[in-house]
Amino acid sequence: MIEMVSKGLATLEVSLKHSGSLFMYAGHMGGAYAKNSFGNIYTAVGVFVLGRMFRDAWGAEAAKKQAEFNEFLESNHMCISMELVTAVLGDHGQRPREDYVVVTAVTELGHGKPKFYSTPDIIAFCRKWRLPTNHVWLFSTRKSVTSFFAAFDALCEEGTATPVCKALDEVADISVAGSKDHSKVQGEILEGLVARIVSHESSRHMEKVLKDFPPPTEEAGPDLGPNLRDICAKNRSDEKQQIKALLQNVGTSFCPDYSDWFGNEVGDAHSRNADRSVLSKFLQSHPADFATTKLQEMVRLMREKRFPAAFKCYHNFQKIDSVSSDNLFYKMVIHVHSDSAFRRYQKEMRHKPGLWPLYRGFFVDINLFKANKERAAEIAKTSAGIVENGSTGASSKDGLADEDANMMVKLKFLTYKLRTFLIRNGLSILFKEGPAAYKAYYLRQMKSWGTSAGKQRELSKMLDEWAVYIRRKCGNKQLSSSIYLSEAEPFLEQYAKRSPQNQALIGSAGNLVKAEDFLAIVEGGRDEEGDLEMEREVASLSPAPSKDSVVKDEGLIIFFPGIPGCAKSALCKELLNAPGGFGDDRPVQSLMGDLIKGRYWQKVADERRRKPYSIMLADKNAPNEEVWRQIEGMCRSTRASAIPVVPDSEGTDSNPFSLDALAVFMFRVLQRVNHPGNLDKESPNAGYVLLMFYHLYEGKSREEFEGELIERFGSLVKMPLLKSDRKPLPDPVKSIIEEGISLYKLHTNRHGRLESTKGSYAMEWAKWEKQLREVLFGNAEYLNSVQVPFEFAVKDVLEQLTKIAKGGYQTPDTGKRKFGSIVYAAVSLPVIEIKGLLDNLAEKHPKAEAFLKDKHLENSLARAHVTLAHKRSHGVTAVANYGIFLHKKVPVDLTALLFTDQVAAFEACLGSVDGERIVSENQWPHVTLWTGEGVAAKEANALPELLSEGKATCIEINPPVTISGILEFY
């Protein structure tokens, strides 16, 4: 990002992240939507809040403007996305003082690729319609961008709304205040910032918009009637009653009918659910326009690649009057279950630039119809245009935009994460599994965030106290996550009052908004935003000791994310009989999956409870996140750590295992005899089974696969598999495996998980299985020669496991950016050169020699630096402004030695970097060398004044000695 801005290629745009839920509105006929649903309490609340803000902004003209607005959205096929911030849908980081929305995106859907408005255009659009906008900052120079990231690093562990906005206002090139002051409407607890790369022209565009569209003047609004909280408080019987009450108060301009919420008011609650065959009919139908073609392409790809997503179809009751047997209307919700789907889809877009982007919160109106002759001719003409100007010919217009335009990073503040992730999301663990499991959970979270050691200690002390407090108060009844702040906020407020350090840790507390009386009724424990579900089990991380070792008073689970043929059973047998075990006296036991009937992982959990301090070898392939979550749960509930053992492999872009590794696994399986799991040379579909396991890992590169395991379990053991100096995989072996992968995709697309011996491809499978055996055994010499000897692999794995058990293992860096809490900026100087200068001064000046002789600086002077600015003394901006010089070499002239009987320092004069002089915020730049017992280093600042009073000694260094150092943040 920094380099792109430096070269004048882009601008960094930063906006506030309000703590709310995604809400989208496309006009009263287009519909209202939440992140993955519609027609529920979330969208009813959103429509009410949007309508009320319209009335507040337009006063007597509101009804007229609402009608114009809806007409404008529908005629232009537009949708606006908003952050819905409210206290009635459950607690996030802080209960907002007001209920409001902030517009975050405006989209023109049209008949082609969706067009997203730039931020300047969003502001122009919102000011025209008097809709609330977000606070936005633009950084268009290298200095401002580096200052921004430095400011965040300085504030990430203590930042709240007011100081964060103030700091960004000071370092940004352009600052556009939001319509809503976060500190006034939501509070001081700030969830985070969203930073993204935009066009370099964005700054000029923004300046023009701000000139052409001044913010609307605020006028005293009319009586708006009952507010959201009043309505929810008066309608407490059920969710349906609350929805009706809210929609009735919105008015007909925003909600002329309730069909999206209640359908045709006939039948059961699922009357709007459409038949599952709708999706198949949609994919098989002839597209009537280009947009439909691209949507079909997207859905087909996601299904073919088995992306973690659901395609839910519903009857469109808004079109009920137009429905006939030949003309059907539906709404389809594309619900992406995992962020991994977006990463995988981005990879597909690089290979297929014509693909349309995938969005979170994706809703499609579907019209399936039989066309008459005239319409059919029109569609055929359109189709010809699609072929002529489709995804290949129109890539510049409809393909993936410059990848740089999609670069975005979300930056969250610790004061928010404390409340949401450490307190709220830890409630289930605390109440169900106890304080020890809770402590393991929050320590793991903080470690994964890269929280500074000091803050980890402070938070641990506070969270331990919280755990005792809330369990004592609630007993065995778990505190509801929807209203957890009713207990957490008073606790945090009292904790903050004890000291300034605690206040900085908590950020802001007090002024609690009481929510119990007006909380919306969310039936079935749903959570639209993915983090409000009352009884949801938190997929937390397994406990891992801080020194990356296995504690001896707990158990150990060794498990195998692998594929049949990876030699895990043979390895387990060797580990079970290894002399001395893992370097301690804990008993080792093994459970072979092929011999266990029923639920294997439940059996492992039972054994863990029976022998809590044992080492369990879980001899079964553990290929996916569902199994990993079960293992994490076992770790928490039975006080254990877990170590994944994986076959070492280079992997591919989309799979952690290479074709070389898969070939060896297949070769090994086809040599087995009398395998207890019946997967051996006699198995007619052995190749298919291995392809099935191989595809369970599809979608993760090797780096992502290992990184996720390390993030979850804190360690990783690699079992040597293939020799590094091996020859390439023979072409016949590579070809037969690639043929099998292609056949597997065809089979699963048509039949899902049906066995290969059944279905329309049964003959092709039988032929391929026969050829696979012929090719692999025909290349047996090669496949045997490329494998690492098994004895070596066992020895290597045992050494790695023993190292972890003894604490000699260092958790690898998973490549995530780690944010530290910057306190000050300084130029760090080499201590050896400083000591050398002191020795020279002692030789030449008797006063210096007399002073230094009993100070033992050769031992006590561990580091030396010139402080440039300190967060507490000079402010965040002052520190952040040095970001442009970070890691640069700075020449420093040392001009004098000043000392008293309590403190000594060199006077320093800072040089220039790239022609720009470095100026310290300190009145007297210096290098502190020594202080007496109990004397703070900052007392060196007083040396010039003491010298003027005759209370200090000065030895000039003439000519000055230049020592170069590196500018760093600390």
Side-chain angles (χ1 to χ4, degrees):
M1 285 186 175
I2 294 174
E3 289 306 313
M4 291 180 64
V5 174
S6 300
K7 294 175 182 176
L9 301 175
T11 292
L12 181 69
E13 177 187 286
V14 177
S15 58
L16 288 183
K17 174 66 176 78
H18 294 251
S19 295
S21 304
L22 176 63
F23 171 63
M24 294 170 285
Y25 186 71
H28 60 68
M29 292 301 291
Y33 305 91
K35 185 165 69 174
N36 294 305
S37 65
F38 70 100
N40 52 33
I41 188 65
Y42 297 96
T43 53
V45 168
V47 169
F48 176 85
V49 173
L50 179 60
R52 186 179 176 86
M53 296 192 81
F54 243 94
R55 293 201 301 275
D56 187 33
W58 289 99
E61 294 184 84
K64 174 188 171 188
K65 289 296 181 181
Q66 284 179 343
E68 290 176 4
F69 181 66
N70 279 280
E71 172 61 27
F72 181 81
L73 292 182
E74 288 160 22
S75 62
N76 290 283
H77 298 90
M78 296 179 71
C79 177
I80 58 172
S81 300
M82 292 157 277
E83 196 76 43
L84 171 61
V85 183
T86 173
V88 308
L89 293 175
D91 288 340
H92 283 247
Q94 184 177 33
R95 277 184 199 156
R97 297 184 173 112
E98 298 180 16
D99 304 303
Y100 63 96
V101 293
V102 169
V103 176
T104 54
V106 177
T107 318
E108 283 184 10
L109 305 176
H111 298 288
K113 180 181 175 182
K115 173 193 171 186
F116 281 84
Y117 278 24
S118 66
T119 298
D121 287 336
I122 291 174
I123 291 174
F125 174 87
C126 289
R127 288 186 174 179
K128 174 185 175 183
W129 291 104
R130 299 185 185 177
L131 291 169
T133 55
N134 205 349
H135 200 146
V136 179
W137 297 269
L138 293 179
F139 304 85
S140 54
T141 64
R142 182 180 182 87
K143 181 175 181 179
S144 63
V145 172
T146 53
S147 295
F148 162 70
F149 283 110
F152 177 76
D153 275 2
L155 289 164
C156 63
E157 293 190 339
E158 296 180 356
T160 54
T162 298
V164 168
C165 291
K166 180 177 182 293
L168 267 57
D169 285 343
E170 291 172 351
V171 299
D173 296 305
I174 296 176
S175 174
V176 185
S179 308
K180 297 290 182 182
D181 186 327
H182 190 288
S183 62
K184 293 179 180 177
V185 294
Q186 175 142 26
E188 281 293 340
I189 299 303
L190 176 60
E191 179 172 339
L193 303 168
V194 177
R196 67 188 186 108
I197 284 292
V198 295
S199 164
H200 189 63
E201 297 298 316
S202 192
S203 296
R204 194 176 305 165
H205 189 185
M206 181 69 80
E207 289 172 346
K208 186 176 187 305
V209 165
L210 296 178
K211 181 180 178 181
D212 295 344
F213 296 90
T217 55
E218 290 191 17
E219 302 175 5
D223 180 15
L224 301 177
N227 63 31
L228 174 65
R229 302 179 190 192
D230 293 336
I231 294 171
C232 288
K234 291 176 182 176
N235 296 273
R236 304 291 298 164
S237 61
D238 58 27
E239 181 179 346
K240 187 174 182 180
Q241 183 199 31
Q242 283 189 334
I243 291 174
K244 279 193 172 180
L246 289 169
L247 298 181
Q248 287 167 356
N249 278 274
V250 169
T252 56
S253 293
F254 265 90
C255 193
D257 67 73
Y258 307 159
S259 58
D260 266 358
W261 285 270
F262 303 115
N264 57 8
E265 294 282 5
V266 177
D268 61 20
H270 302 287
S271 61
R272 63 181 188 161
N273 290 355
D275 188 272
R276 290 186 177 183
S277 64
V278 170
L279 181 61
S280 298
K281 291 175 182 175
F282 167 67
L283 294 176
Q284 293 165 12
S285 65
H286 192 87
D289 56 26
F290 184 55
T292 305
T293 302
K294 303 309 291 182
L295 286 166
Q296 287 177 325
E297 182 182 21
M298 172 188 291
V299 174
R300 285 193 189 103
L301 174 77
M302 293 176 70
R303 296 187 79 202
E304 175 189 333
K305 300 288 184 180
R306 301 174 73 87
F307 282 15
F311 304 90
K312 305 172 187 175
C313 294
Y314 304 90
H315 295 289
N316 188 346
F317 287 107
Q318 290 186 342
K319 304 283 188 178
I320 195 72
D321 295 335
S322 304
V323 171
S324 68
S325 59
D326 293 341
N327 195 35
L328 303 173
F329 295 88
Y330 302 96
K331 287 179 182 283
M332 180 169 69
V333 180
I334 301 178
H335 183 179
V336 178
H337 294 306
S338 170
D339 286 346
S340 65
F342 294 103
R343 293 194 297 271
R344 293 169 61 185
Y345 195 85
Q346 285 287 341
K347 289 180 181 178
E348 294 294 333
M349 291 178 76
R350 294 187 189 106
H351 299 304
K352 302 176 182 177
L355 275 175
W356 276 11
L358 176 65
Y359 306 107
R360 189 184 299 281
F362 209 139
F363 301 85
V364 182
D365 282 345
I366 296 176
N367 177 204
L368 298 177
F369 60 90
K370 288 185 178 179
N372 56 32
K373 289 183 179 180
E374 291 78 10
R375 186 76 186 276
E378 182 184 339
I379 292 171
K381 185 178 179 181
T382 303
S383 298
I386 292 172
V387 172
E388 186 176 341
N389 302 306
S391 58
T392 54
S395 61
S396 61
K397 181 180 178 182
D398 297 297
L400 174 62
D402 184 357
E403 211 169 292
D404 297 328
N406 299 304
M407 290 175 63
M408 180 173 28
V409 60
K410 292 181 180 179
L411 308 167
K412 296 199 174 185
F413 292 96
L414 186 60
T415 50
Y416 169 83
K417 294 192 286 188
L418 155 66
R419 289 161 169 79
T420 303
F421 300 113
L422 301 186
I423 293 181
R424 188 193 68 180
N425 289 9
L427 288 172
S428 174
I429 296 171
L430 175 60
F431 280 89
K432 292 180 179 178
E433 301 174 28
Y438 176 58
K439 189 177 186 74
Y441 163 74
Y442 73 64
L443 287 174
R444 199 82 186 116
Q445 286 282 52
M446 289 191 287
K447 184 177 179 182
S448 71
W449 296 334
T451 307
S452 66
K455 285 298 180 189
Q456 287 197 47
R457 287 192 297 270
E458 293 177 40
L459 284 171
S460 295
K461 180 181 176 184
M462 188 274 290
L463 291 169
D464 287 345
E465 190 171 321
W466 157 256
V468 173
Y469 166 84
I470 199 61
R471 278 170 61 89
R472 184 180 296 154
K473 185 162 186 178
C474 296
N476 294 323
K477 184 179 180 182
Q478 181 179 326
L479 175 65
S480 169
S481 59
S482 292
I483 54 169
Y484 81 99
L485 285 173
S486 295
E487 296 295 344
E489 198 72 23
F491 169 84
L492 294 173
E493 182 179 12
Q494 291 302 314
Y495 193 86
K497 288 178 179 178
R498 297 182 196 172
S499 69
Q501 185 183 40
N502 285 4
Q503 181 65 60
L505 180 71
I506 301 304
S508 176
N511 301 316
L512 179 68
V513 177
K514 186 173 172 61
E516 287 81 352
D517 295 335
F518 57 70
L519 197 68
I521 299 168
V522 183
E523 295 176 351
R526 294 196 317 274
D527 169 19
E528 185 53 43
E529 196 60 15
D531 56 5
L532 295 176
E533 198 164 343
M534 291 177 232
E535 299 302 326
R536 179 170 60 89
E537 180 68 30
V538 179
S540 63
L541 303 157
S542 65
S546 58
K547 292 185 179 179
D548 303 314
S549 64
V550 176
V551 179
K552 300 301 185 292
D553 62 353
E554 65 177 29
L556 176 62
I557 302 171
I558 297 172
F559 68 102
F560 302 88
I563 292 175
C566 66
K568 67 183 181 310
S569 295
L571 175 65
C572 286
K573 189 180 295 184
E574 295 295 327
L575 295 176
L576 193 63
N577 299 318
F582 296 92
D584 56 46
D585 56 358
R586 285 177 294 177
V588 182
Q589 59 178 330
S590 177
L591 279 180
M592 188 176 187
D594 295 317
L595 299 177
I596 302 295
K597 295 188 176 180
R599 299 168 62 194
Y600 174 82
W601 295 107
Q602 183 58 54
K603 179 68 174 174
V604 172
D606 293 342
E607 285 296 310
R608 284 283 315 118
R609 278 186 279 271
R610 200 166 64 84
K611 298 180 180 178
Y613 303 123
S614 66
I615 296 175
M616 168 63 72
L617 302 175
D619 182 7
K620 184 179 177 65
N621 288 302
N624 53 35
E625 295 173 19
E626 181 183 351
V627 174
W628 301 348
R629 282 194 291 270
Q630 289 185 58
I631 295 170
E632 289 173 332
M634 270 185 269
C635 288
R636 293 195 306 271
S637 62
T638 66
R639 281 188 56 77
S641 295
I643 302 175
V645 177
V646 301
D648 200 2
S649 171
E650 299 92 341
T652 69
D653 287 342
S654 60
N655 199 295
F657 297 102
S658 64
L659 295 186
D660 303 55
L662 180 58
V664 168
F665 297 154
M666 288 178 166
F667 182 60
R668 287 175 176 177
V669 166
L670 293 174
Q671 293 179 90
R672 290 174 175 173
V673 178
N674 297 324
H675 184 259
N678 297 320
L679 184 62
D680 51 32
K681 61 187 286 186
E682 301 301 328
S683 307
N685 63 342
Y688 166 80
V689 172
L690 267 84
L691 287 173
M692 181 184 69
F693 270 93
Y694 181 76
H695 280 84
L696 289 175
Y697 297 93
E698 190 68 20
K700 283 189 175 73
S701 67
R702 186 69 185 194
E703 183 180 4
E704 291 169 335
F705 170 68
E706 292 185 359
E708 184 168 350
L709 286 168
I710 291 168
E711 286 294 325
R712 286 176 179 269
F713 301 101
S715 61
L716 180 75
V717 168
K718 297 182 183 181
M719 181 179 182
L721 175 65
L722 301 172
K723 295 176 180 177
S724 58
D725 59 349
R726 67 186 183 278
K727 293 180 180 179
L729 193 66
D731 287 339
V733 178
K734 184 178 180 182
S735 296
I736 194 65
I737 292 177
E738 288 177 341
E739 287 175 23
I741 289 173
S742 298
L743 182 57
Y744 180 84
K745 290 178 179 178
L746 289 172
H747 175 87
T748 53
N749 285 339
R750 176 168 294 185
H751 300 298
R753 297 183 178 181
L754 187 70
E755 292 180 18
S756 62
T757 53
K758 303 173 183 177
S760 53
Y761 296 102
M763 291 181 62
E764 285 88 343
W765 276 118
K767 180 181 177 183
W768 179 81
E769 293 277 0
K770 182 174 181 292
Q771 291 176 337
L772 176 69
R773 286 155 174 78
E774 292 171 355
V775 170
L776 292 183
F777 288 124
N779 288 272
E781 184 179 351
Y782 169 84
L783 293 170
N784 282 319
S785 69
V786 297
Q787 298 181 49
V788 170
F790 180 65
E791 298 77 12
F792 174 82
V794 172
K795 181 174 179 289
D796 191 89
V797 169
L798 186 58
E799 287 176 356
Q800 293 180 67
L801 289 171
T802 303
K803 189 175 183 181
I804 295 174
K806 290 182 176 180
Y809 176 87
Q810 183 67 41
T811 300
D813 185 357
T814 57
K816 290 187 175 181
R817 172 173 164 80
K818 293 179 174 62
F819 295 103
S821 184
I822 293 173
V823 177
Y824 64 94
V827 178
S828 178
L829 299 173
V831 173
I832 292 177
E833 293 188 39
I834 294 292
K835 289 179 178 178
L837 176 57
L838 286 170
D839 290 341
N840 288 337
L841 288 174
E843 289 177 6
K844 296 177 181 178
H845 298 277
K847 287 184 180 180
E849 182 184 20
F851 173 76
L852 295 170
K853 68 179 181 181
D854 60 347
K855 300 300 184 292
H856 307 295
L857 294 185
E858 66 277 5
N859 298 320
S860 62
L861 186 61
R863 62 180 184 172
H865 65 263
V866 182
T867 299
L868 302 175
H870 196 286
K871 183 167 68 173
R872 300 278 182 247
S873 305
H874 307 107
V876 169
T877 306
V879 176
N881 282 336
Y882 292 102
I884 192 171
F885 305 114
L886 190 62
H887 309 315
K888 295 289 184 72
K889 183 180 284 189
V890 181
V892 179
D893 289 345
L894 301 179
T895 59
L897 171 65
L898 279 70
F899 58 87
T900 68
D901 59 351
Q902 293 295 315
V903 63
F906 277 136
E907 183 177 66
C909 180
L910 295 153
S912 301
V913 175
D914 298 331
E916 187 170 347
R917 190 170 186 81
I918 304 297
V919 179
S920 173
E921 292 292 328
N922 273 338
Q923 278 190 318
W924 185 62
H926 62 277
V927 182
T928 303
L929 302 170
W930 169 84
T931 61
E933 188 174 347
V935 178
K938 66 180 182 179
E939 296 302 323
N941 285 296
L943 280 170
E945 184 178 348
L946 293 172
L947 180 63
S948 67
E949 296 172 354
K951 298 177 181 178
T953 301
C954 174
I955 298 174
E956 290 191 3
I957 304 173
N958 193 8
V961 173
T962 302
I963 297 177
S964 293
I966 305 298
L967 196 151
E968 300 284 3
F969 287 139
Y970 298 91

